[in-house]
């Protein structure tokens, strides 16, 4: 289950300090978008990327809404936060809409990610190629295990967490990911905040304390499986149902083969 620390006002995930007039406009635009809409924009973007890969240039609101498991009226309302989009009777330009959503989510500026905890989950995250495609570059890995420090994971050499502060500054990191055992999660979170990071994602189910200016996302994989268990039990009772339960607990018509780790 993904949870979000509520900062002062709704802020799109990944929004950090902006540079230049266009970036400032993007931040201002994002702050006007409700958090529920931000979550759906990420789903729209994922589908638009798939459509682009298939060579599609135009998509109707009905087609996009169906692929994302939402109503077309809700989709049109969500996209209205981005300004004028699409042509009545024609549809949305796939490339143009992708760029508008990427800008609203702050992805057009790119993000530099550091990860703490190079166990099995950490290695899987570090090796996931989809992050780069979506604007997230993994720039550093950290751990405390002497058997791991100095080893290589892909193109990165694992560093000791004692070097976290200086490395984050040198690498201009914008997002920190916690993939450590639960008992170390808060200490690592504190270190990331002390290093100046304002966006943190934790794969620990432990509730973490962060300052108001820090945006925290918590991904609880076990909770996601519990939701799938509920869906499975319900579908066994109603085999004709095609609904699944999303992270928000709201029924969705998204395909069942979605990945929790890969956003």
């Amino acid at each position: 289950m993904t949870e979000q620390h509520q900062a002062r006002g709704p802020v799109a995930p990944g929004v950090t300090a902006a540079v230049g007039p266009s970036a400032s406009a993007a931040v201002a635009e994002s702050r006007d978008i409700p958090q529920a809409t931000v979550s759906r924009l990420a789903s729209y973007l994922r589908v638009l990327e798939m459509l682009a890969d298939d060579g599609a240039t135009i998509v109707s609101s009905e087609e996009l809404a169906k692929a994302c498991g939402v109503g077309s009226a809700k989709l049109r309302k969500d996209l209205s936060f981005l300004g004028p989009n699409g042509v009545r009777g024609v549809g949305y330009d796939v490339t143009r809409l992708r760029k508008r959503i990427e800008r609203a989510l702050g992805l057009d500026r790119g993000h530099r990610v550091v990860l703490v905890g190079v166990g099995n989950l950490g290695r899987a995250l570090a090796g996931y190629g989809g992050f780069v495609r979506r604007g997230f570059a993994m720039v550093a890995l950290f751990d405390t295990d002497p058997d791991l420090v100095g080893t290589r994971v892909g193109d990165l050499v694992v560093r000791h967490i004692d070097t976290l502060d200086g490395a984050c500054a040198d690498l201009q990191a914008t997002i920190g990911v916690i993939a450590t055992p639960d008992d170390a999660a808060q200490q690592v979170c504190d270190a990331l905040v002390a290093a100046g990071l304002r966006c943190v994602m934790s794969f620990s189910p432990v509730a973490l304390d962060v300052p108001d200016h820090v945006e925290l996302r918590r991904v609880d994989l076990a909770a996601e499986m519990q939701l799938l268990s509920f869906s499975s039990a319900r579908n066994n009772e109603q085999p004709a149902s095609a609904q699944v339960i999303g992270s928000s607990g709201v029924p969705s018509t998204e395909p069942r083969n979605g990945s929790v780790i890969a956003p």
Side-chain angles (χ1 to χ4, degrees):
M1 179 181 297
T2 25
E3 295 184 1
Q4 180 178 19
H5 173 78
Q6 295 298 322
R8 295 167 181 167
V11 180
V15 171
T16 55
V19 178
S22 61
S24 298
V27 173
E29 180 183 71
S30 299
R31 284 178 176 168
D32 292 333
I33 303 177
Q35 189 62 51
T37 295
V38 171
S39 297
R40 289 191 293 271
L41 287 177
S43 296
Y44 304 156
L45 181 59
R46 182 177 68 246
V47 173
L48 288 168
E49 289 169 345
M50 295 169 60
L51 290 171
D53 288 344
D54 291 339
T57 57
I58 299 293
V59 62
S60 69
S61 59
E62 289 75 15
E63 291 169 336
L64 183 55
K66 182 177 180 181
C68 296
V70 301
S72 58
K74 178 175 288 186
L75 178 139
R76 287 192 292 269
K77 182 178 180 181
D78 288 340
L79 296 183
S80 70
F81 287 100
L82 309 182
N85 288 290
V87 178
R88 184 178 294 276
V90 177
Y92 300 104
D93 182 294
V94 171
T95 299
R96 182 171 182 267
L97 185 55
R98 279 182 65 187
K99 290 181 179 179
R100 295 290 292 272
I101 295 177
E102 287 173 351
R103 181 186 178 205
L105 297 180
L107 300 178
D108 56 330
R109 290 166 287 143
H111 289 279
R112 300 172 68 79
V113 182
V114 297
L115 181 146
V116 183
V118 192
N120 292 333
L121 176 59
R123 286 177 176 271
L125 292 170
Y128 175 61
F131 289 137
V132 173
R133 178 182 174 184
R134 298 184 183 186
F136 303 92
M138 191 74 69
V139 296
L141 308 174
F142 299 88
D143 209 291
T144 58
D145 188 339
D147 292 333
L148 292 176
V149 174
T151 62
R152 184 175 292 275
V153 177
D155 295 331
L156 299 174
V157 174
V158 180
R159 312 180 188 208
H160 195 280
I161 196 171
D162 288 347
T163 66
L164 178 67
D165 199 339
C168 286
D170 292 341
L171 296 169
Q172 298 181 319
T174 57
I175 295 177
V177 176
I178 301 172
T180 64
D182 296 347
D183 57 359
Q186 183 63 63
Q187 183 178 358
V188 169
C189 184
D190 293 343
L192 289 170
V193 173
L197 295 181
R198 296 191 175 191
C199 296
V200 177
M201 172 174 283
S202 173
F203 282 85
S204 169
V206 176
L208 303 177
D209 293 325
V210 295
D212 288 342
H213 69 276
V214 173
E215 194 78 4
L216 172 68
R217 298 288 297 186
R218 194 176 72 187
V219 183
D220 188 339
L221 298 179
E224 293 291 344
M225 291 184 181
Q226 289 168 346
L227 291 174
L228 286 174
S229 174
F230 171 79
S231 179
S232 175
R234 186 194 59 180
N235 289 339
N236 286 337
E237 296 174 359
Q238 300 176 343
S241 172
Q243 291 182 327
V244 296
I245 300 297
S247 299
S248 63
V250 178
S252 164
T253 55
E254 283 193 64
R256 297 176 184 276
N257 60 348
S259 171
V260 174
I261 292 180

